Structure formats: C-alpha cells, structure tokens
Amino acid sequence: MRRGWGDRIIQKLARPRRQETLPQRLHRRRIYVLPTRFGLFVAVLLMAMLLGALNYNNNPALLLALLLATVAVASTFAAHLQLSALRVDAVSAEPVVAGHLLRLRLSLSRPDTRLRRGLQLQHGDAVAYGHLVDSDQVEVDLELPTQQRGWLDLERIRISTTQPLGLVRAWAWVWPDTPLLVYAAPELQAPALPEGDGDPLHTRVHASGDELHQLRAYRPGDPPRSISWKHSARRDTLLVREYEKPVGVDVMLDWWQLKSLSTEARIARLARWVDLAEREGRRYTLKLPGQPVLGPGQGSSHHHLCQRALALMPHD
C-alpha cells in the first residue's frame, strides 16, 4: 500500500519504532486518539450551539450544549479504554505458494472483564474485525497478498476502534518480529518426474510402457498408432490405449541436472517435482547448492523442509 508523506512521518514517530517479540500489552503510551470526521462535525455543531446560547442568553440551550460536550469527552475516554490493556498474544500463518493469499492469524486477549467491541485490525490493504465480548480471547484472520518466495516480513499492524459513538478513533500499533514463509511458485507445465531407483513398486502412465493401463477417449494430438481400432469399432468412438511403466520408488531431484534452466526456473521445476513425488507417495531426495542433502524421505515434514529450502534459495 502506497502511503503519503504524512503517513510516513506518523509511522516514524509512532510506537513501536522497531519490531518486537510477542506477547505485547497495549499500554496508554501506545494508544493514540483523534476525532473522526463525524466527531469534527459534532464539535463544530457544539461550538455553534454554545455561541448561540451565549449570544441569546439561553440557559436551556447552554445546558444542552454542555451536556452533549460532556458526552463527547466521555466517549473519548471510553474509546481509549477499548484498547487499554489489550494484549496481542501471538501471530501465526501456514506457508503458502507465492501469488496466493497468506492467512495471518492474530490472537488477542483481555486481562479484565471490560467489553471490547468493534476492533479493527489492518495490515496494508487487508482489514479484519474482532470482538471480545463473550470470551477473554479471540483469533482474527488477515489475508495478506504474497508476491515472491522467501520470508515475508510483517509491517506494523494497526488495531483501532471508533466505539462507542464514532466521534473519535483510538488506535495502536503492533509490529511482530515474526517472519512468515512463502513457498516458491511451482512450474505449471513441468515434465514428468525423473526415473527413480529401488524396487519398481510404482507404475506410471508412459507412452513406451509395456502393460496396458486403460482405454480412454481420443484427444486431438494422440498418435494414430495408439488408437485401439478394434475397441473403437465396438464403441462407435475412437479409443486410445494408455500403457503403464514400472518406476522406482526413490526419486533424486538434483539441482545440477537442470543446468539449462535459470535459477528461478530450476526452483519452480524442483518445487513442482517435490509436489508430484509427495502426491504419488514416493520417497525423494533433494540436492541443492550450499545445503545438506535432504532425504530420502516422504511425508508432510519432509515436504515442508524441501519447499522451505527452495523458498530460501538466493535470488538471481
């Protein structure tokens, strides 16, 4: 989100001025209060009422104006108390592929029984709302856009409220020291996995296979020699033979075997192959420059380690 010079000055002067570890409690020195547009309109209206009541010496009008001004001042304190002592316990997010929305989860809690309504959380253009009414803890999700792989450093997150009357806005900043991981975007049209080693316990559809896998409907581009004319005559439609070929269980995903590709293209292809190997239930090993060999392994933890290593590879 692009900010004006005024917002940049406020960002430099506002607390906190550096990233901080969680949990953090919002004390009075971190809470700022300013009137909203509606609050400014009410202030001008009250000034006009006071001037009119003093000019015409109208005591009931003067009393009403002072009473409304007292209510406005009380609403300012109430808005400040909505954030006072509020605690930000933790932030977390599951890694996502670059280009997808990352769901950032913030955990808020209150140490007292004071009701907190209309809490607005904002990070850039992402906005979410939460309330602390029926429970002492709440989790709020913010959807953040991602553009590139690697660590996503959080900016300041603003927590604000205009309760109870909307005359003022009270807000505070929190800046978690919690980098979030973004996986590399996999190649969309990647070739098949490299040939594996070990016992051929798995099979894969392959044009040069030996055993018939299935018959499927003809697609434009299929070679004529793959058409099963005998079965096509029975079904009155073109059917194509698909064969399967035994493949090894263990797959080696080697960075140096992709010398013809650029750095980012290698990362995208290896990311796709890691997903394919995990989907097919095969053990796989990942070799990257400057890092220990990962594998052979299988499962969610091994998949995360491989994708993490690819995401944190140096950029071109």
Side-chain angles (χ1 to χ4, degrees), residues 187-263:
E187 184 179 359
L188 296 180
Q189 300 295 332
L193 284 170
E195 296 295 334
D197 299 327
D199 297 332
L201 300 179
H202 287 67
T203 58
R204 183 175 64 196
V205 176
H206 198 279
S208 60
D210 300 326
E211 298 182 6
L212 181 63
H213 175 59
Q214 65 178 0
L215 293 174
R216 61 168 174 82
Y218 174 82
R219 291 195 294 257
D222 290 332
R225 58 185 176 83
S226 65
I227 299 177
S228 177
W229 298 105
K230 182 178 180 180
H231 294 86
S232 299
R234 295 178 180 176
R235 300 288 184 86
D236 199 21
T237 183
L238 289 179
L239 297 176
V240 176
R241 293 186 295 266
E242 282 190 338
Y243 295 92
E244 60 183 9
K245 181 180 181 180
V247 295
V249 178
D250 296 334
V251 182
M252 177 63 68
L253 307 179
D254 195 342
W255 174 272
W256 289 275
Q257 291 180 356
L258 304 175
K259 297 180 180 179
S260 61
L261 302 178
S262 64
T263 299

Side-chain angles (χ1 to χ4, degrees), residues 33-100:
V33 181
L34 281 178
T36 61
R37 293 183 179 180
F38 176 64
L40 292 175
F41 169 75
V42 172
V44 173
L45 182 62
L46 289 176
M47 290 296 298
M49 291 179 61
L50 286 172
L51 291 177
L54 292 173
N55 185 40
Y56 292 100
N57 197 20
N58 190 328
N59 291 333
L62 181 62
L63 179 62
L64 177 61
L66 292 175
L67 180 61
L68 293 177
T70 303
V71 173
V73 173
S75 70
T76 302
F77 287 101
H80 185 279
L81 291 174
Q82 289 283 315
L83 300 182
S84 180
L86 185 67
R87 191 172 67 181
V88 182
D89 294 322
V91 297
S92 61
E94 293 293 331
V96 297
V97 175
H100 292 70

Side-chain angles (χ1 to χ4, degrees), residues 51-226:
L51 291 177
L54 292 173
N55 185 40
Y56 292 100
N57 197 20
N58 190 328
N59 291 333
L62 181 62
L63 179 62
L64 177 61
L66 292 175
L67 180 61
L68 293 177
T70 303
V71 173
V73 173
S75 70
T76 302
F77 287 101
H80 185 279
L81 291 174
Q82 289 283 315
L83 300 182
S84 180
L86 185 67
R87 191 172 67 181
V88 182
D89 294 322
V91 297
S92 61
E94 293 293 331
V96 297
V97 175
H100 292 70
L101 291 176
L102 183 143
R103 186 179 297 274
L104 177 66
R105 176 159 296 180
L106 291 92
S107 178
L108 307 177
S109 63
R110 57 178 181 178
D112 47 39
T113 58
R114 190 185 311 139
L115 302 183
R116 318 297 175 102
R117 296 188 175 92
L119 299 177
Q120 183 188 75
L121 286 81
Q122 183 175 6
H123 181 283
D125 295 329
V127 180
Y129 298 90
H131 308 274
L132 282 169
V133 179
D134 298 329
S135 62
D136 295 333
Q137 188 174 9
V138 67
E139 291 185 345
V140 183
D141 292 341
L142 279 170
E143 292 187 343
L144 309 183
T146 59
Q147 298 178 353
Q148 62 181 7
R149 61 180 176 85
W151 294 116
L152 176 65
D153 290 326
L154 291 176
E155 299 179 2
R156 287 186 178 95
I157 301 174
R158 190 181 73 168
I159 305 175
S160 63
T161 182
T162 57
Q163 295 291 323
L165 299 179
L167 300 178
V168 298
R169 178 180 296 276
W171 77 93
W173 301 95
V174 61
W175 197 354
D177 185 13
T178 309
L180 307 173
L181 183 62
V182 179
Y183 289 155
E187 184 179 359
L188 296 180
Q189 300 295 332
L193 284 170
E195 296 295 334
D197 299 327
D199 297 332
L201 300 179
H202 287 67
T203 58
R204 183 175 64 196
V205 176
H206 198 279
S208 60
D210 300 326
E211 298 182 6
L212 181 63
H213 175 59
Q214 65 178 0
L215 293 174
R216 61 168 174 82
Y218 174 82
R219 291 195 294 257
D222 290 332
R225 58 185 176 83
S226 65

